[in-house]
Amino acid sequence: MDRFVIEGPTRLEGELEVGGAKNAVLPLMAAALLARGDSIIQNVPDLHDVRFFMTILEGLGATCSLVGGELRLGTAEAEGREASYDLVRKMRASIYVLGPLLAFQGEAFVSLPGGCAWGPRPVNLHLEGMAALGAEIALERGYIHARVPRGGLRGGRFRFEPVSVGGTCNVLMAAVLARGETVLENCAIEPEVTALAIGLRDAGAVIEGIGTPTLRIQGPVTLRPLQQTVIADRIEAGTFMAGVALAGGRVRLTGVDTVHLDPITAVLREMGCAITEEPGAITIAADGRPVATEIITRPYPGFPTDMQAQLMAVCAVADGTSFISEGIYADRFTHVAELQRLGADIRVDGARATIFGVPKLQGAPVMASDLRASAALVLAGVAAEGTTIVNRVYHIDRGYECIEERLASLGARIRRESV
Ligand code: EPZ
């Protein structure tokens, strides 16, 4: 098991290219199952979650290779219909194969995903959406058993409540092969969802309203294999921006879509960061303590929940009292106790955290728990005085490629140790 050893405080200076978005790659990988042939996806980061999803697809009979950011998925022999508990329990996004298997194979056996570090993660919207397309859904010994009715899936109407990124992706992938018109309302419009819809449309799907909360799909179609380049990871970019706000310095990030960063940029500017934008790049500079802020996490284009932990680390050293309400998940605060070990003064009341800014954090051993909470602890360690040890960094490797090398290239004193 690896851990990071971080000596602080250091400032972050330099330039970094942001990688492809994990949360855009995974649904595109699942969508490859909707066509026969070789899908090619470019700008793919080499992440544990991507490698793991490749394993899932290989278990279904697909061939997968990832070389130099190019992911090739061959589905000519992909006849499998089951995603086992042993796989799905390790990565919730495995459920993305449900829609494509149901629509393309006519039947799917997918284990119900477990919870995660911060609580239950229901999939009722995925199932209700498939049922709206005529699917017969049964829960059997911890598995979702989904079958298409005689004649295949048929177009239907479904409204997501609440907004669901995964639910939108899964039901959209099933709907493109359904016979007739499907109308999906209150869809997620995260850039990663829009990227999936664009990928499907480029492969022959008939989808109107892409980028809006209402998607209108005409089917069935025969999809061509996907050919897509993955959008930049707005959460990875935001994480490095939060690092500069927290530790101080000046960093230019390239390969980004600045529009996707708007909700994050707005908050960090309010906190006193100087941020300049240019086509495909963003530069953030910060000195001294950030200004306290108040945010509620919301579906896009609101402030992203996947940046909540990182922002809380910034608020921990802000000049004043900040308030963070988690509007998406009831209890996504596993990072609070660990930030408190570093000297942060935080009080949690339900889904709302009050952060009393302190001048400096103090290095200490801490425990990573989930992907984004772990990233927040690493950023806090860069800014803290003394040595911070972040244990269980496999959480971070799921969604950040070589984060220690990238932070070190900006001046952080961080090394990985195997223990
Ligand atoms: C996606 O998860 C992301 N994961 C998450 O990022 C992200 O936090 C989340 O969207 C919200 O933006 C991937 O894209 C792989 P949801 P997802 O369905 O699809 C409730 C990361 O760090 N809900 O949009 O699982 C749910 O409980 C990860 O990269 C239902 O009630 O999230 C939550 O309160 C962590 N029923 C809300 O909707 C359902 O059937 C939003 O969840 C589905 C969801």
Side-chain angles (χ1 to χ4, degrees):
M1 194 173 290
D2 289 357
R3 70 183 188 184
F4 287 150
V5 179
I6 307 164
E7 302 295 343
T10 56
R11 294 164 61 80
L12 296 175
E13 309 274 358
E15 180 161 312
L16 201 59
E17 182 169 6
V18 170
K22 166 179 82 80
N23 291 351
V25 175
L26 299 178
L28 285 171
M29 292 176 75
L33 293 169
L34 290 165
R36 283 273 182 246
D38 293 342
S39 290
I40 299 173
I41 306 172
Q42 308 278 3
N43 193 32
V44 174
D46 195 344
L47 302 172
H48 284 202
D49 274 10
V50 171
R51 291 285 174 181
F52 189 78
F53 211 100
M54 289 166 68
T55 304
I56 290 173
L57 295 181
E58 286 163 347
L60 295 167
T63 57
C64 303
S65 73
L66 176 57
V67 178
E70 179 176 282
L71 179 62
R72 300 179 77 91
L73 304 171
T75 59
E77 312 291 322
E79 300 297 342
R81 300 181 176 197
E82 178 171 337
S84 72
Y85 171 68
D86 188 47
L87 290 174
V88 176
R89 70 183 174 84
K90 292 172 185 163
M91 185 175 74
R92 172 184 163 69
S94 314
I95 195 161
Y96 278 153
V97 302
L98 175 64
L101 290 180
L102 175 67
F104 195 80
Q105 301 290 346
E107 188 172 31
F109 294 87
V110 177
S111 169
L112 276 167
C116 68
W118 67 80
R121 300 276 295 276
V123 293
N124 60 302
L125 296 174
H126 299 241
L127 305 184
E128 291 161 19
M130 307 286 172
L133 304 178
E136 294 153 14
I137 307 279
L139 298 185
E140 298 163 359
R141 297 184 307 285
Y143 276 73
I144 301 161
H145 180 197
R147 280 179 299 186
V148 301
R150 190 181 306 281
L153 294 176
R154 60 177 185 277
R157 194 177 195 89
F158 185 69
R159 177 180 177 80
F160 294 95
E161 197 58 64
V163 171
S164 167
V165 168
T168 303
C169 291
N170 227 340
V171 179
L172 171 61
M173 287 189 281
V176 299
L177 299 191
R179 186 172 23 85
E181 177 175 79
T182 296
V183 178
L184 302 178
E185 295 175 320
N186 202 31
C187 296
I189 57 171
E190 270 69 0
E192 297 77 22
V193 178
T194 298
L196 171 65
I198 290 168
L200 292 169
R201 184 192 60 195
D202 291 352
V206 180
I207 307 171
E208 292 170 25
I210 292 177
T212 77
T214 302
L215 296 175
R216 197 176 291 272
I217 303 108
Q218 307 295 339
V221 296
T222 300
L223 287 188
R224 298 179 292 277
L226 298 177
Q227 305 274 345
Q228 287 297 307
T229 297
V230 177
I231 60 172
D233 194 324
R234 60 193 169 101
I235 304 301
E236 182 184 65
T239 300
F240 288 116
M241 291 168 73
V244 176
L246 175 52
R250 177 187 181 81
V251 170
R252 181 171 184 264
L253 297 173
T254 60
V256 300
D257 182 328
T258 54
V259 171
H260 296 166
L261 295 172
D262 281 349
I264 301 165
T265 301
V267 169
L268 293 178
R269 276 188 174 132
E270 281 172 16
M271 297 185 81
C273 297
I275 300 175
T276 53
E277 302 174 16
E278 50 190 302
I282 194 163
T283 299
I284 178 169
D287 253 327
R289 295 176 69 181
V291 175
T293 190
E294 176 162 6
I295 60 115
I296 301 176
T297 65
R298 288 264 187 261
Y300 193 86
F303 188 86
T305 176
D306 289 350
M307 277 296 303
Q308 184 254 104
Q310 300 92 310
L311 188 82
M312 190 178 287
V314 181
C315 293
V317 296
D319 182 7
T321 301
S322 302
F323 302 92
I324 294 181
S325 295
E326 178 50 65
I328 306 287
Y329 296 105
D331 51 2
R332 192 178 188 174
F333 287 136
T334 53
H335 42 285
V336 169
E338 299 306 309
L339 288 171
Q340 288 168 334
R341 287 182 49 73
L342 299 174
D345 184 358
I346 304 170
R347 188 181 310 145
V348 172
D349 177 17
R352 179 176 164 87
T354 303
I355 305 101
F356 304 93
V358 297
K360 271 288 178 191
L361 297 175
Q362 307 303 320
V366 291
M367 189 71 73
S369 55
D370 78 81
L371 171 55
R372 308 303 177 184
S374 315
L377 296 175
V378 171
L379 300 181
V382 170
E385 287 181 335
T387 303
T388 296
I389 295 176
V390 181
N391 295 292
R392 295 187 184 170
V393 296
Y394 60 84
H395 287 291
I396 301 174
D397 293 333
R398 294 189 51 182
Y400 294 91
E401 192 172 352
C402 306
I403 194 171
E404 77 276 16
E405 293 173 12
R406 297 151 73 77
L407 284 171
S409 75
L410 299 176
R413 285 178 288 154
I414 178 173
R415 69 177 187 277
R416 181 187 291 257
E417 287 183 353
S418 292
V419 291

